[in-house]
Amino acid sequence: MVELIGLFMPGPMEIIILVLGLGFLIGLVLLVLLALRRRPSSNANLTTCPDCGNQVSLNAASCPKCGSPLTKK
């Protein structure tokens, strides 16, 4: 019975491979989430505030987040 249990216990190399594999997968998921978060908006009616980076309507006179005045182009 002891030999049977020993067959299913991971050794140091298997543990290293599991940790590296999980680290890689977690890193990959974080990179995908970061890329999706930084994707620019495709709305043609919005512009970016030069002070805070918030998305603001083209019709707005100032940024609703920071109050910075926006110039009309």
Side-chain angles (χ1 to χ4, degrees):
M1 186 69 160
V2 174
E3 295 87 17
L4 187 61
I5 293 173
L7 290 175
F8 296 104
M9 293 189 61
M13 197 61 171
E14 287 85 7
I15 292 174
I16 291 171
I17 291 171
L18 286 172
V19 168
L20 290 176
L22 286 174
F24 175 76
L25 288 176
I26 290 170
L28 186 62
V29 168
L30 290 175
L31 283 174
V32 168
L33 290 174
L34 183 63
L36 289 174
R37 184 174 176 209
R38 291 183 178 233
R39 186 175 50 185
S41 176
S42 61
N43 192 339
N45 295 326
L46 296 178
T47 187
T48 304
C49 173
D51 289 338
C52 69
N54 189 37
Q55 293 290 308
V56 183
S57 170
L58 288 174
N59 298 329
S62 63
C63 175
K65 183 175 180 183
C66 68
S68 174
L70 302 173
T71 58
K72 301 282 182 179
K73 292 183 179 179

